[in-house]
C-alpha cells in the first residue's frame, strides 16, 4: 500500500434527540414487556426525533461537537462522509445538507450506505483519502433515524431501534502524535441482503398506496439468522486485523462493538476471549442506533475518561448488506 501519511481520530462528538422512550412506554404501544426487551436485548431506553428533526439535524449537532473536540474550524474540513440508511432524502445526500448546515465550502461530501457498519466503512474511506495525501481533515458521521422506518405492528423489530448520531474528525497525524488508525478490514456478503431490508421506496418497488399499507417502507428483518451471522462476521473481521498486525487480544484496551443486542456483544467478547471490563456497552440507553452506535459509544467513553489518548481500541460492526468490518486504532 502506498501510504504517505497516517490518519488519526482528532476528536469525537455525539447527539441524541431529547425525547426518551423507555420499555414501559413501549408496553403501552405494542404487545411487549420490559422483561422481554431487557432479557432478549439488554435495551431499556432509546431516543426518538421530534417531528421537525431529520438525520442531517442530528448529524450537524454531532459534527459541531467533534470539531470542537478536535480544536478545528469549519473551514478546516476537506471531506464529509455520512454513513446512514435513513438519510433525509434519497437525494441530495445527507453529507451535502450537513455541509450547508455547517457552512463548509468547496469540500467533497457524500453518503455511504452500509447499514450499521456505515461509520466504520466511512472512516475507512476517510482514512485512505488522508493516507494518500488528498485531504488533511475529514468529518465522518454515523447517523440514523430508524424511528421513521419502524413498523409499529411488528413487535419483533419496533422495540429495537433508537435515533442518534456520532461523529469523528479524522485527520492527518503529525510525527509527534501518538494516535493513529492502525488497520481496518471491511467486507460484505450481498447474498444475505434479504435478511435485513427496507423492501419499498426504491427503484425495485416504488412507493404506492399498497406498499405503504403493507408497511414495506419499514425495516424487515430475520433476527435469529442475523444474530448468528453478526457474531461470526464481527469475530472474523476482528481476528483478521489482530492477526495481520500481530496483536494479541490482551493488548487491546477497549472493544467497541456495534450495539445491536447485549447477547451479541457478550458472545463476541467471549469468542474473542477479551476481559469483559474492557467491553464498552451503552445499549441500555440508546438501543440500536445502527451506523451511529459505534461513534456514540466512542464519544461517551472518551468524554467519561475511560478511553484515553494512547489506548488501543478495537471497533467492529455488522449490518444491512450484509456488511461487516473492524478497525484497530491507537486513540
Ligand atoms: N415482545 C415480546 N415478545 C416478542 C417480541 C417483543 N418485542 N418480539 C418477539 N417476541 C416473541 C416472538 O413472537 C417469539 O414468540 P414465540 O416463541 O411464541 O413464537 C419469541 O418472542 C422469540 O422470538 P425470537 O425472534 O426467536 O427472539 P430472539 O431471542 O431471537 O430475539 C431479536 C429477537 C432480539 C431480534 C434477536 O434475534 C436479535 O437481536 N437479532 C439480531 C438483530 C440485529 O442485530 N439486527 C441487525 C442490525 S439492525 C440494522 O442494521 C438496521
Amino acid at each position: 500500500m502506498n501510504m504517505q501519511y497516517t490518519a488519526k481520530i482528532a476528536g469525537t462528538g455525539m447527539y441524541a434527540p431529547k425525547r426518551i422512550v423507555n420499555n414501559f412506554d413501549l408496553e403501552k404501544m405494542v404487545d411487549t414487556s420490559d422483561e422481554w426487551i431487557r432479557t432478549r436485548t439488554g435495551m431499556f431506553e432509546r431516543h426518538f426525533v421530534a417531528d421537525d428533526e431529520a438525520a442531517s439535524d442530528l448529524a450537524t449537532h454531532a459534527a459541531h461537537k467533534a470539531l470542537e473536540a478536535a480544536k478545528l474550524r469549519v473551514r478546516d474540513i476537506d471531506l464529509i462522509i455520512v454513513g446512514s440508511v435513513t438519510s433525509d432524502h434519497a437525494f441530495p445526500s445527507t453529507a451535502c445538507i450537513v455541509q450547508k448546515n455547517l457552512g463548509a465550502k468547496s469540500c467533497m461530501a457524500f453518503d455511504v450506505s452500509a447499514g450499521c457498519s456505515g461509520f466504520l466503512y466511512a472512516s475507512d474511506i476517510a482514512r485512505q483519502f488522508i493516507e494518500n495525501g488528498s485531504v488533511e481533515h475529514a468529518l465522518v458521521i454515523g447517523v440514523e433515524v430508524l424511528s421513521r422506518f419502524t413498523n409499529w405492528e411488528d413487535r419483533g423489530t419496533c422495540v429495537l431501534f433508537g435515533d442518534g448520531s456520532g461523529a469523528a474528525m479524522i485527520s492527518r497525524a503529525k510525527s509527534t502524535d501518538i494516535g493513529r488508525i492502525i488497520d481496518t478490514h471491511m467486507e460484505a456478503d450481498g447474498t444475505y441482503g434479504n435478511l435485513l431490508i427496507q423492501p419499498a421506496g426504491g427503484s425495485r418497488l416504488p412507493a404506492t398506496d399498497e406498499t405503504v399499507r403493507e408497511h414495506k417502507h419499514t425495516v424487515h428483518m430475520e433476527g435469529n439468522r442475523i444474530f448468528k451471522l453478526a457474531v461470526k462476521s464481527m469475530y472474523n473481521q476482528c481476528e483478521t486485523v489482530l492477526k495481520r498486525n500481530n496483536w494479541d487480544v490482551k493488548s487491546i484496551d477497549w472493544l467497541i462493538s456495534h450495539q445491536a443486542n447485549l447477547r451479541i456483544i457478550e458472545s463476541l467478547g467471549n469468542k474473542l476471549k477479551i476481559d469483559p471490563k474492557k467491553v464498552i456497552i451503552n445499549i441500555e440507553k440508546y438501543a440500536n442506533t445502527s451506523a451511529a452506535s459505534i461513534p456514540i459509544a466512542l464519544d461517551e467513553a472518551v468524554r467519561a475518561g475511560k478511553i484515553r489518548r494512547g489506548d488501543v481500541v478495537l471497533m467492529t460492526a455488522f449490518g444491512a448488506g450484509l456488511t461487516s468490518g473492524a478497525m484497530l486504532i491507537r486513540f
Side-chain angles (χ1 to χ4, degrees):
M1 202 185 304
N2 181 17
M3 273 172 54
Q4 296 185 34
Y5 302 98
T6 52
K8 64 166 185 178
I9 294 191
T12 61
M14 57 112 6
Y15 180 77
K18 295 201 168 46
R19 184 176 164 217
I20 298 176
V21 175
N22 68 30
N23 293 347
F24 298 110
D25 299 319
L26 290 182
E27 282 182 357
K28 293 176 202 137
M29 297 157 74
V30 285
D31 178 17
T32 189
S33 66
D34 171 56
E35 203 262 332
W36 191 95
I37 301 172
R38 264 186 215 262
T39 52
R40 297 287 176 132
T41 71
M43 298 168 185
F44 178 60
E45 291 176 345
R46 68 282 293 139
H47 294 242
F48 285 164
V49 283
D51 289 346
D52 60 351
E53 278 180 313
S56 63
D57 302 311
L58 311 191
T60 305
H61 284 301
H64 279 299
K65 291 185 183 160
L67 273 170
E68 197 185 311
K71 298 189 175 59
L72 291 168
R73 293 151 302 182
V74 166
R75 66 169 178 270
D76 296 319
I77 300 171
D78 303 311
L79 168 67
I80 302 173
I81 314 179
V82 172
S84 186
V85 289
T86 54
S87 294
D88 289 25
H89 311 284
F91 56 88
S93 69
T94 298
C96 286
I97 301 171
V98 171
Q99 181 198 36
K100 178 199 73 179
N101 291 351
L102 293 173
K105 305 270 183 245
S106 334
C107 62
M108 191 193 289
F110 61 91
D111 289 358
V112 168
S113 168
C116 306
S117 311
F119 176 77
L120 290 191
Y121 264 55
S123 299
D124 194 23
I125 296 166
R127 166 206 163 205
Q128 294 181 54
F129 270 94
I130 287 163
E131 287 181 353
N132 72 23
S134 315
V135 311
E136 201 173 336
H137 301 290
L139 168 62
V140 175
I141 304 170
V143 60
E144 268 352 317
V145 183
L146 277 157
S147 65
R148 293 262 156 79
F149 299 87
T150 300
N151 176 2
W152 289 102
E153 288 173 20
D154 175 13
R155 66 176 183 171
T157 56
C158 69
V159 302
L160 303 176
F161 302 109
D163 303 333
S165 64
M169 284 305 304
I170 301 189
S171 298
R172 183 185 296 172
K174 298 191 189 82
S175 56
T176 50
D177 282 333
I178 186 167
R180 69 189 175 97
I181 295 176
I182 299 165
D183 198 7
T184 53
H185 183 74
M186 305 293 143
E187 279 191 18
D189 186 345
T191 58
Y192 292 115
N194 283 335
L195 295 186
L196 184 49
I197 188 169
Q198 181 194 317
S203 60
R204 177 71 57 199
L205 204 53
T208 61
D209 288 349
E210 195 187 345
T211 60
V212 172
R213 225 178 9 257
E214 292 173 352
H215 301 287
K216 288 189 171 153
H217 303 82
T218 62
V219 176
H220 288 238
M221 181 174 78
E222 285 189 42
N224 270 321
R225 290 188 64 196
I226 298 262
F227 192 111
K228 290 179 197 125
L229 290 164
V231 177
K232 194 171 147 208
S233 60
M234 289 197 291
Y235 174 76
N236 287 344
Q237 312 327 347
C238 288
E239 279 292 289
T240 300
V241 288
L242 288 174
K243 282 207 178 108
R244 198 157 60 198
N245 294 278
N246 296 316
W247 279 81
D248 188 278
V249 77
K250 290 197 183 73
S251 322
I252 303 300
D253 295 304
W254 301 103
L255 173 72
I256 303 181
S257 149
H258 169 44
Q259 310 279 305
N261 186 316
L262 182 60
R263 291 183 293 141
I264 293 178
I265 301 170
E266 288 174 347
S267 302
L268 174 70
N270 289 340
K271 223 164 140 57
L272 284 170
K273 298 193 175 61
I274 191 163
D275 178 349
K277 289 199 280 298
K278 295 179 171 182
V279 182
I280 306 261
I281 296 170
N282 66 0
I283 192 168
E284 70 284 357
K285 280 167 46 187
Y286 302 103
N288 179 351
T289 57
S290 186
S293 91
I294 289 183
I296 288 176
L298 175 64
D299 184 61
E300 273 203 339
V302 169
R303 285 174 199 265
K306 275 186 173 179
I307 296 180
R308 293 157 187 264
R309 280 280 163 215
D311 283 357
V312 177
V313 185
L314 180 60
M315 296 183 267
T316 184
F318 71 96
L322 290 179
T323 58
S324 58
M327 175 175 268
L328 183 64
I329 64 163
R330 188 177 284 284
F331 185 71

